[in-house]
């Protein structure tokens, strides 16, 4: 049987007495490809074999500077708290793996930045949020909680007080509990969008629902208490020569995320920066503004600001503030993508 190409289909020349049939072209032969008479014919033959002509570039694959698909944005803690209080009446921790609100900033609705997602979470007195583990790295900044709110990380009970930062790295068991008489509110920050992009997502619920606490930690590399952070900030302030003080928590704290605390004294502002890493900021104390590329975002205690990569930005506070900064710098640095851009003066 011989076949001749006819507009993307083959007409079979069948033996005498049988009916000719037309079949869909699935795969051109090397000979058919080699004898393509025009670019249009070649493109038609390439389509079914899932090859594209790189020189024709229907969509460009390279561009001179980052295309910025995410925008700087701010979320209000007061609004989140209201919504979480409603959720406290409407859904319990039996039904919800976590009672949390995802801070959505993506064209497709989920992520807060390209690599990082942030969420507010609340747990009511007497509740437990069951233990699980997953490959995404996670951390929490506690916003409002009374003594008795805690997280169990790999069998270790870590207390959660306002300003504390608690880590749950890749594949560590973690569950939350609240023995106090007040609702506990915190901010979760995770590298879920990065894990979704690279696809090594694994998740497992704890076989005992809530992991038993084996130890109560006095100090743990997974816990950065606020009192210690304040002490270190005071030391850094003394060395900062009138500039905002910044200390890092961990070195870096997680494989994919670096953490720091920035103190703005009354009237101070940060030096303008444009850096190839995505940043989420949680307001630990005070109020202020973040100016980024023509937009000014106002914030106060508990609010969350996102400054996506390659956006020049300045933080400023009239009355003084402390900002908790989470970035994907370790990823960008490891891959050789971390750059600092020139800023306007
Ligand atoms: C998660 O596991 C927690 O364990 C919080 O507390 C927020 C947001 C997205 C995906 C998983 C938690 C989360 C999350």
């Amino acid at each position: 049987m011989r076949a001749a190409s006819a507009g993307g289909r083959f007409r079979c020349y069948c033996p005498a007495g049988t009916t000719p049939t037309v079949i869909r072209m699935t795969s051109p032969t090397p000979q058919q490809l080699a004898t393509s008479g025009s670019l249009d014919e070649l493109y038609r033959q390439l389509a079914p074999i899932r090859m594209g002509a790189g020189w024709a570039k229907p969509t460009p694959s390279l561009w001179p500077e980052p295309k910025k698909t995410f925008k700087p944005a701010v979320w209000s803690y007061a609004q989140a708290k209201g919504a979480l209080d409603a959720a406290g009446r409407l859904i319990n921790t039996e039904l919800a793996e976590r009672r949390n609100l995802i801070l959505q900033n993506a064209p497709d609705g989920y992520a807060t930045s390209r690599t990082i997602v942030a969420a507010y979470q609340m747990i009511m007195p007497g509740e437990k949020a069951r233990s699980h583990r997953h490959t995404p790295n996670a951390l929490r900044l506690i916003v409002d909680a009374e003594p008795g709110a805690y997280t169990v990380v790999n069998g270790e009970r870590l207390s959660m007080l306002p300003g504390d930062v608690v880590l749950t790295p890749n594949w560590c068991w973690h569950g939350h509990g609240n023995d106090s008489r007040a609702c506990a509110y915190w901010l979760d920050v995770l590298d879920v969008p990065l894990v979704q992009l690279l696809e090594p997502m694994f998740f497992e619920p704890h076989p005992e629902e809530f992991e038993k606490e084996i130890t109560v930690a006095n100090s743990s590399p997974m816990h950065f208490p606020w009192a210690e952070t304040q002490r270190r900030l005071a030391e850094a302030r003394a060395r900062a020569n009138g500039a905002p003080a910044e200390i890092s928590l961990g070195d870096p704290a997680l494989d994919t995320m670096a953490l720091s605390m920035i103190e703005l004294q009354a009237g101070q502002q940060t030096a303008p920066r444009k850096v190839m890493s995505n940043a989420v900021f949680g307001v630990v104390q005070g109020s202020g503004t973040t100016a980024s590329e023509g937009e000014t975002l106002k914030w106060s205690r508990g609010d969350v600001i996102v400054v996506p990569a390659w956006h020049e930005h300045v933080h400023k506070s009239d009355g003084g503030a402390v900002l908790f900064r989470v970035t994907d710098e370790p990823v960008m640095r490891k891959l050789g993508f971390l750059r600092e851009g020139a800023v306007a003066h």
Side-chain angles (χ1 to χ4, degrees):
M1 202 170 16
R2 278 182 30 235
S5 175
R9 284 158 186 268
F10 294 114
R11 180 172 294 279
C12 295
Y13 291 96
C14 305
T18 61
T19 326
T21 52
V22 174
I23 55 167
R24 267 177 59 78
M25 183 179 83
T26 50
S27 195
T29 64
Q31 176 66 13
Q32 283 166 336
L33 284 157
T35 55
S36 281
S38 68
L39 282 174
D40 276 348
E41 189 188 341
L42 179 58
Y43 297 156
R44 265 199 307 278
Q45 295 193 23
L46 288 175
I49 56 172
R50 288 160 287 112
M51 293 187 193
W55 65 86
K57 289 198 176 65
T59 50
S61 55
L62 306 170
W63 40 88
E65 277 206 50
K67 289 187 188 182
K68 296 184 278 191
T69 48
F70 284 77
K71 301 251 177 305
V74 62
W75 286 264
S76 152
Y77 173 56
Q79 286 176 334
K81 196 166 188 280
L84 286 171
D85 289 344
R89 283 185 284 106
L90 301 169
I91 191 148
N92 62 32
T93 48
E94 290 294 312
L95 290 171
E97 181 83 15
R98 295 294 186 254
R99 185 190 289 113
N100 60 11
L101 296 170
I102 307 285
L103 306 188
Q104 299 176 335
N105 192 35
D108 65 2
Y110 180 75
T112 312
S113 76
R114 176 60 74 203
T115 53
I116 296 173
V117 66
Y120 285 108
Q121 183 167 171
M122 188 268 271
I123 174 166
M124 304 210 293
E127 275 186 334
K128 281 185 169 185
R130 56 185 169 269
S131 302
H132 63 210
R133 62 180 176 181
H134 40 64
T135 42
N137 294 275
L139 62 104
R140 291 150 239 299
L141 169 71
I142 316 313
V143 184
D144 278 316
E146 291 190 358
Y150 63 95
T151 287
V152 177
V153 181
N154 276 355
E156 218 177 42
R157 178 177 167 134
L158 308 172
S159 62
M160 297 203 287
L161 288 168
D164 286 5
V165 172
V166 176
L167 308 181
T168 54
N170 177 350
W171 216 235
C172 289
W173 293 112
H174 56 285
H176 318 300
N178 186 358
D179 293 341
S180 83
R181 293 172 62 180
C183 293
Y185 303 81
W186 65 82
L187 178 70
D188 295 300
V189 186
L190 300 94
D191 57 11
V192 168
L194 177 68
V195 177
Q196 288 178 345
L197 178 75
L198 301 178
E199 300 193 345
M201 181 66 80
F202 295 90
F203 169 89
E204 194 181 352
H206 196 278
E208 286 157 22
E209 188 128 314
F210 196 81
E211 187 196 9
K212 277 196 258 324
E213 50 196 79
I214 301 159
T215 54
V216 180
N218 271 332
S219 80
S220 161
M222 304 288 185
H223 190 206
F224 299 92
W226 175 234
E228 170 75 2
T229 298
Q230 279 178 303
R231 193 187 58 69
R232 291 184 56 210
L233 276 174
E235 276 175 17
R237 187 190 313 138
R239 283 183 266 108
N241 286 326
E246 180 163 6
I247 58 163
S248 64
L249 308 183
D251 186 27
L254 297 160
D255 288 338
T256 54
M257 289 181 284
L259 318 182
S260 67
M261 291 277 184
I262 304 167
E263 182 190 67
L264 294 165
Q265 288 185 267
Q268 277 185 335
Q269 64 179 61
T270 58
R273 279 190 85 187
K274 178 176 174 177
V275 56
M276 197 51 235
S277 67
N278 295 289
V280 170
F281 299 89
V283 184
V284 184
Q285 261 187 0
S287 59
T289 56
T290 299
S292 182
E293 306 197 349
E295 273 221 71
T296 300
L297 309 171
K298 274 184 68 134
W299 41 260
S300 58
R301 187 180 174 278
D303 292 352
V304 173
I305 306 126
V306 61
V307 180
W310 216 237
H311 283 76
E312 184 172 337
H313 64 284
V314 170
H315 306 294
K316 200 170 174 173
S317 174
D318 290 335
V322 175
L323 292 176
F324 173 55
R325 175 172 176 260
V326 181
T327 76
D328 59 8
E329 254 175 43
V331 176
M332 297 298 192
R333 177 174 291 114
K334 182 75 186 169
L335 300 181
F337 300 149
L338 189 63
R339 295 190 183 208
E340 198 84 31
V343 293
H345 284 288

